[in-house]
Amino acid sequence: MNETTTHEKAGLLERLEAGPVICAEGYLFEFERRGYLQAGAFVPEVVLEHPELVAQLHREFVHAGSDVVEAFTYYAHREKLRLVGQEHLLETMNRRALEIAKEVAAESGALVAGNICNTNLFTPDDDVRRTVRAMFEEQVGWAVEAGVDFIIGETYAFAEEALIATEVIRATGLPSVITLAMHQRPDTREGWTPEDACKRIEDAGADVVGLNCIRGPATMLPMLEAVRASVSGHVAALPVPYRTTEAQPSFQSLRDPDYDRLPGDRPFPTALDSFTCNRYEIADFTRTAQELGINYFGVCCGAAPHHIRSMAEALGRTPPASRYSADMSKHAYLGSAAALKDENLSYAKDL
Ligand SMILES: [Zn+2]
């Protein structure tokens, strides 16, 4: 798609009116897994160190069915960069991430999203509110200058912090997607239920509200149902792809009974492999959430392209990656195609 046609592409709200939208996420975890980002501080330095890899992961997600290229500015905020002694890279990192996202989106006509997130500073104190607002304003400003299609504010455990993000994004005139992160407790850190918090955020002008990160499909779904019932607009659902349970509802609270030599006291964040949802569980989640009335989908930390393809296919789509969706009929030992060798097929059956 050339420059002219990208300007004419349908925007987020137009697309949501026409059907579901998918936004692949989980960049921090995926680059950590690939060996280009450090768990702990979780700062996206890979944007400057290996921009070509960031572009490639964006492409893989679009290939798998993501409608959105989300600029990798998650945790590229002033507080995080100060923590790792790289505050001088703040603006460069943000601008570069936005530029990469824009380049990749232009290849397919995908939407480009700017991104801000939890600051880890918030307390209900006026000085802190001002600091948080200023942090959002600088990042949102760079996103606007880059020409993004909409802006995501995500992973807020304090709904009041999400409300500040909503105000800052709303002032730009661009559509906003605001999502809360619900940890072990079933309410926000100020004690609001997710449905109450989302209602307040919608009333403050957010175009899409919902939940992202921290909880897997099983422990996010009941909350999504309550959110859907309390708001009138679009609802977002971006769980982590891990098998969280009622007793261990967040991926930080998961404990692994089968392995007792972890470097820390829990599998989070580097030993969650055995809890990972398979692609079919993500498809199940997608169908159930769609039946609830969710129409903005994604997968957060832990997501890989096969999850996104599965999500897209569950929504009735055939993204380019569907060309390679499994066809076991041609498997040498377990298949059914006429050309397969009987010796191999019967050998497998004997097992
Ligand atoms: Zn996440």
Side-chain angles (χ1 to χ4, degrees):
M1 187 166 279
N2 64 36
E3 274 298 313
T4 318
T5 49
T6 22
H7 291 303
E8 292 160 4
K9 69 189 178 188
L12 175 68
L13 302 180
E14 210 177 324
R15 291 186 194 208
L16 284 168
E17 290 304 327
V21 167
I22 298 176
C23 176
E25 301 203 2
Y27 291 95
L28 285 179
F29 265 47
E30 186 59 14
F31 279 114
E32 192 282 331
R33 199 179 65 83
R34 293 183 183 197
Y36 293 94
L37 192 147
Q38 190 169 41
F42 279 116
V43 178
E45 289 152 296
V46 64
V47 164
L48 297 178
E49 292 168 2
H50 291 284
E52 75 287 359
L53 299 183
V54 177
Q56 181 58 23
L57 184 53
H58 284 323
R59 278 190 198 102
E60 289 174 25
F61 279 141
V62 171
H63 179 72
S66 186
D67 300 301
V68 180
V69 177
E70 182 182 26
F72 189 19
T73 56
Y74 190 93
Y75 275 170
H77 61 51
R78 194 170 285 284
E79 173 63 12
K80 275 288 182 183
L81 287 166
R82 182 180 295 144
L83 187 71
V84 296
Q86 303 285 345
E87 205 176 345
H88 60 287
L89 295 178
L90 175 70
E91 182 173 346
T92 320
M93 193 179 287
N94 275 266
R95 290 199 190 275
R96 190 76 184 101
L98 288 154
E99 188 179 49
I100 298 165
K102 231 185 139 184
E103 277 167 19
V104 174
E107 295 166 1
S108 65
L111 295 170
V112 187
N115 174 232
I116 55 173
C117 66
N118 52 308
T119 61
N120 303 323
L121 285 177
F122 187 84
T123 56
D125 166 276
D126 283 346
D127 279 347
V128 176
R129 284 175 202 274
R130 274 190 288 275
T131 304
V132 165
R133 183 179 295 270
M135 285 172 64
F136 291 160
E137 281 171 348
E138 63 188 353
Q139 280 193 288
V140 165
W142 294 320
V144 170
E145 284 176 29
V148 300
D149 297 302
F150 70 99
I151 299 181
I152 297 165
E154 64 183 350
T155 328
Y156 299 109
F158 277 107
E160 289 188 83
E161 188 177 32
L163 284 167
I164 299 174
T166 307
E167 285 170 21
V168 171
I169 298 171
R170 207 180 164 210
T172 69
L174 289 171
S176 52
V177 176
I178 305 291
T179 49
L180 298 168
M182 305 305 300
H183 290 250
Q184 285 192 76
R185 285 173 34 176
D187 48 15
T188 67
R189 283 181 69 174
E190 56 271 88
W192 305 352
T193 63
E195 60 269 29
D196 243 14
C198 283
K199 179 76 170 73
R200 294 196 205 199
I201 296 164
E202 181 179 67
D203 289 346
D207 295 292
V208 181
V209 297
L211 308 177
N212 83 294
C213 208
I214 311 295
R215 288 178 169 240
T219 54
M220 184 182 275
L221 267 170
M223 291 182 166
L224 289 169
E225 193 168 3
V227 169
R228 179 61 281 174
S230 80
V231 305
S232 54
H234 306 295
V235 177
L238 303 96
V240 292
Y242 296 107
R243 292 173 177 163
T244 53
T245 64
E246 210 172 312
Q248 296 172 356
S250 65
F251 69 164
Q252 284 98 343
S253 64
L254 288 168
R255 295 296 189 274
D256 191 344
D258 298 320
Y259 189 77
D260 61 5
R261 283 172 290 151
L262 290 170
D265 63 343
R266 62 190 70 200
F268 178 87
T270 54
L272 288 165
D273 310 57
S274 59
F275 297 96
T276 306
C277 294
N278 64 46
R279 63 191 73 185
Y280 306 105
E281 291 171 292
I282 295 301
D284 293 342
F285 166 79
T286 306
R287 280 187 287 268
T288 308
Q290 191 183 26
E291 280 163 21
L292 289 179
I294 307 301
N295 59 341
Y296 181 103
F297 291 92
V299 183
C300 207
C301 306
H306 69 298
H307 290 125
I308 300 304
R309 175 176 60 188
S310 195
M311 184 163 253
E313 290 178 350
L315 294 170
R317 308 220 187 132
T318 49
S322 291
R323 180 181 165 199
Y324 302 106
S325 288
D327 174 6
M328 283 297 288
S329 69
K330 293 167 194 155
H331 191 275
Y333 291 84
L334 302 170
S336 57
L340 296 175
K341 286 182 183 299
D342 283 340
E343 296 90 322
N344 289 339
L345 298 173
S346 55
Y347 174 72
K349 282 193 187 101
D350 289 340
L351 291 176

